[in-house]
Amino acid sequence: MATKWLMVLVLVWAASGSSDHSSHVRVTVGSESSVQYGHYPQPIYHESAYSHSAYGYYPQPAYPHQPVYHHQSTYHSPPTYGHHEPAVPACAANTSKPWCLTDADYPTYEIQHALQYNAHHVLSLYADVADLNTKLSVARPKVLEEETYLCPSATAYVKPLRAVNTEGKWRVIVNNIHVHYQTLTQTARVEECLTSGDACPLVPKCYGSKCLQKSIYHRFLVYDPYDHYLPFAIETFKLPASCACLLGAFTIDH
């Protein structure tokens, strides 16, 4: 009997020692001694007893406002290719005409170098202006007995290296340039009045006449050294073509 009570006390002591793991222990003493352990209920945690930091929960850090950085492009704006040559070339200092037949600064090498990359396009442009027929030009009389003009003039066939276009800007004209076993030349016939604005000779003063310079538009193939995409183009030029006699209005009274 003493042994039986000793076993009961041991079981009670064991149950009380493990009370941290079970909240309900029942011991029945009788014909059938048994120890029944209850179920483990879910622990109840109080917010005051356990802080969030005990479980590794930390509040989300509040970062200051991040400045907005705008991406700075490392590419510079494309250069604007304009006409940076002097407004009046050096060759114009030796002539009063709007074209130059000689030019110490003519860019022959630069034109030939640019033609290596644009030969096909340039030859098609040149074919458009090279078909000009100068045989239709007026032939001047050789002797005075045949005929004469009312206003004296000087006629010439010129191959300008530079000239002023219809916009009033000097341009480099492609002339005497060798490419693909041919020479690119551009010739124009010019006729300038020698007494422009004066009264027409052999015309009575009562008619109120004067010599008038007449012009015609020519198309030339030009080279622009500052156009890095296509430095060749066709532009128009106004050149003197003839010298005419202009008669003023008059009435005949008889």
Side-chain angles (χ1 to χ4, degrees), residues 100-111:
C100 292
L101 300 181
T102 59
D103 184 11
D105 300 327
Y106 189 73
T108 303
Y109 174 79
E110 289 78 0
I111 295 176

Side-chain angles (χ1 to χ4, degrees), residues 125-203:
L125 292 176
Y126 177 73
D128 189 29
V129 298
D131 294 336
L132 299 179
N133 189 1
T134 57
K135 295 181 180 180
L136 300 178
S137 301
V138 178
R140 297 184 60 83
K142 297 181 180 179
V143 293
L144 187 62
E145 288 76 10
E146 296 180 11
E147 61 180 351
T148 185
Y149 292 100
L150 293 179
C151 294
S153 62
T155 304
Y157 290 88
V158 297
K159 295 180 180 179
L161 300 180
R162 295 180 190 259
V164 180
N165 64 6
T166 54
E167 296 180 357
K169 298 180 180 179
W170 283 87
R171 290 289 187 265
V172 177
I173 298 178
V174 178
N175 239 324
N176 302 324
I177 300 297
H178 302 280
V179 57
H180 288 186
Y181 306 102
Q182 62 177 318
T183 303
L184 306 184
T185 60
Q186 301 182 89
T187 305
R189 178 189 180 277
V190 296
E191 182 178 344
E192 299 176 278
C193 287
L194 299 180
T195 58
S196 179
D198 296 344
C200 300
L202 306 178
V203 176

